[in-house]
């Protein structure tokens, strides 16, 4: 048999296990099946914070409002014939008063005259621990200091805990421990719960906004025989039933475009994608994306939709388009304003504006030298990069960190985007530009959009170039997807597409510094 885990030797585990046995001997079921609270802590505070509802004597006589709550016991102090505690539920805390004469415990029957638990209150003092989950029924009153309190008439033990909660000030000071044991973090830090409630709110707004704009929500496969739609190294697996190599998707794009070909004119999906790449404060191998595609839109239509969506999210959370944030480099408290319209600059214009560089006057070798001197690019990789990729890399090094307020960076080099339509402007098309924008806030990209390529001949050429890069050793380039090209040959209408990184959007809207703070269970290295 495997060895028991370390906590089995923990003094608290041993003591609470003993209490568990004694609780059962007293006739109390420590793990009942069902309980129905009538209120939560916040609702009670909201309803009675400005009301005179009576004192403890009236509550004892049942003359004050009745309530039933459930939650964890997080504070307890005995005071003679009474004891006071705090019950914490998902909305907050409420003070509870237990009384020697009037408080009863569900199922409690002292097992004999020599028992050390002759009263229900003594049972609570001796057998109930901080962290135990209780149901409390009783009547409300206010103390002399005006604190709303529930006079406990009936206590139901809902879950006996065998391990203590972490000490808020010492046990959860370690951020890594908080990420690894998120359940303890959520119990101890209500502000962390609020971050995840805001995340849920953001997802609801994204979903409802798409539905209001006549998009259909769909689900597409996570496992794929070919991967594509982004520049990333995939996770590999095997489908044993077919003896076939498979990949976890790196993008939602290819499947959703096939639906556009099939006549589903507006589709969206909110889903996890997987990229086998670095882990840092902005990247997790598994993350959440919104991707949507609208037939008969172009990237200008998508740009307007995107900024209106994000402004709407800000208004819903803050009542304003002005969102508090921290400067990513200085840590200074700033305001990011999502008021529309956002700044629009082409990639070349942004290099002129923020880096004072006119790339049209720079040779490929001059750009390579700048990138090499920046320390962000390796010589080997630079040698094989085309001019368009060099310009995009220069933008990333010289411009991105300046894009604190919302910007749309438009008109990218064609080599960066093999699934995007060449620019409609003949001069820009001649320069090798495509109708693409990326949106940046706080120095990081939050979304990506194209006027989608639907010319099957150009599509094949660009995907063949990407496949050649992969064969040449570029692990982030995608293989050639003949089935996708076949679908495009059967006709895709003019289409605008959008991908938004939900995690980064949540980071911005909750003013958090690391992606680990907005994922319930971020990826952590094994101990």
């Amino acid at each position: 048999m495997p060895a028991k885990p370390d906590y089995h030797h923990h003094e608290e585990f041993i003591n609470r296990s003993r209490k568990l046995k004694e609780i059962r001997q007293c006739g109390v079921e420590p793990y009942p099946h069902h309980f129905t609270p009538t209120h939560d802590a916040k609702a009670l505070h909201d309803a009675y914070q400005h009301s005179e509802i009576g004192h403890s004597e009236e509550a004892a006589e049942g003359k004050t409002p009745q309530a039933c709550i459930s939650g964890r016991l997080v504070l307890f102090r005995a005071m003679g014939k009474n004891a006071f505690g705090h019950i914490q539920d998902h909305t907050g805390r409420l003070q509870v008063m237990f009384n020697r004469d009037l408080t009863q415990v569900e199922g409690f029957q002292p097992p004999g005259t020599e028992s050390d638990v002759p009263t229900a209150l003594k049972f609570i003092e001796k057998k109930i621990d901080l962290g135990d989950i209780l149901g409390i029924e009783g009547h409300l009153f206010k103390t002399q200091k005006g604190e709303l309190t529930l006079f406990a008439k009936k206590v139901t033990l809902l879950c006996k805990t065998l391990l203590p909660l972490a000490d808020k000030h010492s046990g959860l000071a370690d951020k890594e421990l908080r990420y690894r044991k998120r359940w303890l973090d959520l119990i101890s830090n209500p502000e962390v719960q609020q971050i995840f409630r805001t995340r849920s709110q953001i997802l609801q707004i994204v979903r409802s906004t798409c539905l209001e704009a006549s998009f259909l929500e769909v689900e597409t496969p996570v496992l794929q025989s070919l991967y594509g739609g982004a520049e990333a190294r995939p996770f590999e697996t095997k489908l044993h039933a077919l003896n076939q190599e498979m990949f976890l998707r790196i993008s939602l794009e290819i499947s959703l475009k096939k639906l556009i070909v099939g006549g589903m004119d507006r589709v969206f999906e909110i889903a996890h994608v997987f990229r086998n790449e670095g882990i840092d404060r902005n990247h997790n191998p598994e993350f959440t994306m919104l991707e949507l595609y609208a037939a008969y839109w172009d990237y200008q239509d998508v740009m307007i939709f995107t900024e209106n969506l994000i402004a709407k999210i800000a208004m819903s959370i803050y009542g304003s388009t002005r969102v508090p944030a921290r400067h990513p480099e200085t840590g200074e408290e700033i305001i990011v304003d999502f008021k529309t319209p956002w700044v629009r600059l082409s990639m070349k214009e942004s290099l002129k504006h923020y880096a004072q560089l006119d790339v049209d006057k720079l040779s490929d070798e001059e750009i390579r030298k700048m990138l090499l001197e920046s320390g962000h690019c390796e010589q080997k990789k630079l040698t094989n990069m085309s001019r368009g990729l060099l310009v995009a890399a220069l933008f990333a090094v010289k411009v991105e960190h300046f894009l604190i307020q919302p910007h749309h960076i438009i008109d990218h080099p064609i080599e960066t985007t093999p699934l995007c339509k060449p620019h409609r402007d003949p001069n820009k098309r001649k320069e090798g530009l495509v109708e693409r924008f990326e949106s940046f806030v706080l120095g990081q990209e939050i979304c990506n959009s194209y006027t989608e390529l639907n010319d099957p001949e150009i599509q094949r050429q660009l995907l063949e170039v990407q496949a050649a890069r992969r064969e040449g050793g570029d692990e982030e380039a995608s293989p050639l997807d003949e089935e996708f090209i076949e679908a495009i040959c059967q006709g895709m209408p003019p289409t605008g597409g959008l991908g938004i990184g939900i995690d980064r959007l949540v980071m911005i809207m909750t003013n958090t510094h690391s992606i680990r703070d907005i994922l319930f269970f971020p990826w952590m290295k094994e101990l």
Side-chain angles (χ1 to χ4, degrees), residues 234-465:
F235 286 93
E236 301 177 27
T237 186
K238 185 175 182 179
L239 178 58
H240 290 283
L242 300 178
N243 192 29
Q244 184 174 333
E245 184 182 35
M246 302 291 285
F247 306 93
L248 298 185
R249 63 187 174 195
I250 61 172
S251 169
L252 311 175
E253 181 168 352
I254 301 300
S255 296
L256 294 178
K257 282 185 175 178
K258 290 175 181 176
L259 299 183
I260 294 289
V261 172
M264 307 186 81
D265 282 356
R266 293 189 185 184
V267 293
F268 79 98
E269 185 171 8
I270 300 172
H272 284 197
V273 295
F274 308 85
R275 297 182 184 176
N276 200 350
E277 55 189 16
I279 300 173
D280 58 31
R281 77 174 190 90
N282 289 320
H283 295 89
N284 194 67
E286 175 183 4
F287 59 98
T288 305
M289 287 285 294
L290 160 74
E291 287 204 31
L292 62 80
Y293 294 86
Y296 313 111
W297 282 17
D298 64 11
Y299 77 143
Q300 297 288 347
D301 298 311
V302 178
M303 213 178 300
I304 294 169
F305 179 87
T306 301
E307 60 189 19
N308 285 339
L309 168 63
I310 296 177
K312 181 179 179 180
I313 291 170
M315 287 293 298
S316 297
I317 295 171
Y318 292 99
S320 167
T321 57
R322 293 168 57 83
V323 173
R326 285 180 294 170
H327 194 286
E329 294 181 351
T330 67
E332 174 191 4
E333 292 184 3
I334 60 173
I335 294 293
V336 173
D337 195 343
F338 290 99
K339 183 179 179 181
T340 61
W342 298 358
V343 175
R344 289 163 169 76
L345 291 172
S346 72
M347 187 173 282
K348 288 184 177 181
E349 288 170 343
S350 71
L351 280 159
K352 279 185 181 179
H353 182 78
Y354 287 109
Q356 293 75 53
L357 292 174
D358 186 345
V359 292
D360 290 332
K361 296 180 180 179
L362 295 173
S363 69
D364 291 3
E365 284 309 311
E366 286 173 320
I367 297 175
R368 285 192 179 95
K369 184 179 178 182
M370 286 183 185
L371 290 170
L372 194 60
E373 290 173 348
S374 74
H376 289 80
C377 296
E378 298 176 1
Q379 178 69 57
K380 181 180 178 181
K381 193 168 186 179
L382 287 171
T383 301
N384 298 321
M385 288 174 70
S386 65
R387 181 170 181 83
L389 293 175
L390 289 170
V391 171
L394 192 64
F395 163 80
V397 170
K398 297 291 187 180
V399 177
E400 282 188 11
H401 60 281
F402 286 112
L403 306 180
I404 303 302
Q405 295 298 325
H407 282 67
H408 297 303
I409 302 300
I410 66 175
D411 301 346
H412 295 224
I414 194 168
E415 299 97 317
T416 66
T417 321
L419 299 174
C420 185
K421 183 170 275 190
H423 210 287
R424 72 193 73 186
D425 182 316
N427 293 325
K428 292 186 177 182
R429 180 188 286 250
K430 193 174 180 181
E431 291 179 51
L433 301 181
V434 293
E435 294 192 354
R436 173 187 182 186
F437 77 83
E438 289 181 307
S439 300
F440 288 82
V441 181
L442 294 174
Q444 62 180 342
E445 174 207 340
I446 60 168
C447 73
N448 188 16
S449 171
Y450 315 152
T451 302
E452 302 295 340
L453 181 60
N454 62 346
D455 182 326
E457 294 180 336
I458 298 176
Q459 183 70 86
R460 172 176 286 281
Q461 293 169 12
L462 292 172
L463 289 179
E464 284 176 345
V465 169

Side-chain angles (χ1 to χ4, degrees), residues 136-308:
I136 313 288
E137 301 172 56
H139 294 267
L140 295 164
F141 71 96
K142 287 190 175 180
T143 64
Q144 292 181 347
K145 293 183 179 180
E147 183 171 0
L148 184 66
T149 304
L150 182 62
F151 190 113
K153 294 292 186 69
K154 183 179 179 182
V155 176
T156 303
L157 177 58
L158 300 177
C159 181
K160 177 62 188 170
T161 58
L162 298 183
L163 286 171
L165 301 178
D167 181 88
K168 182 173 182 180
H169 300 290
S170 59
L172 282 180
D174 183 348
K175 271 245 175 182
E176 183 171 326
L177 177 64
R178 292 173 58 187
Y179 296 145
R180 289 185 185 278
K181 300 186 177 182
R182 180 67 83 185
W183 63 94
L184 293 177
D185 190 24
L186 294 168
I187 292 168
S188 302
N189 299 301
E191 67 276 11
V192 174
Q193 281 204 18
Q194 186 53 49
I195 288 173
F196 288 102
R197 293 185 188 283
T198 301
R199 181 188 178 101
S200 177
Q201 183 182 353
I202 290 169
L203 286 168
Q204 290 176 44
I205 296 166
V206 169
R207 179 170 279 109
S208 65
T209 302
C210 290
L211 294 172
E212 289 165 7
S214 300
F215 285 86
L216 177 70
E217 185 169 14
V218 298
E219 296 173 287
T220 59
V222 174
L223 282 175
Q224 300 177 338
S225 58
L226 286 175
Y227 61 93
E231 296 269 318
R233 183 167 57 184
F235 286 93
E236 301 177 27
T237 186
K238 185 175 182 179
L239 178 58
H240 290 283
L242 300 178
N243 192 29
Q244 184 174 333
E245 184 182 35
M246 302 291 285
F247 306 93
L248 298 185
R249 63 187 174 195
I250 61 172
S251 169
L252 311 175
E253 181 168 352
I254 301 300
S255 296
L256 294 178
K257 282 185 175 178
K258 290 175 181 176
L259 299 183
I260 294 289
V261 172
M264 307 186 81
D265 282 356
R266 293 189 185 184
V267 293
F268 79 98
E269 185 171 8
I270 300 172
H272 284 197
V273 295
F274 308 85
R275 297 182 184 176
N276 200 350
E277 55 189 16
I279 300 173
D280 58 31
R281 77 174 190 90
N282 289 320
H283 295 89
N284 194 67
E286 175 183 4
F287 59 98
T288 305
M289 287 285 294
L290 160 74
E291 287 204 31
L292 62 80
Y293 294 86
Y296 313 111
W297 282 17
D298 64 11
Y299 77 143
Q300 297 288 347
D301 298 311
V302 178
M303 213 178 300
I304 294 169
F305 179 87
T306 301
E307 60 189 19
N308 285 339

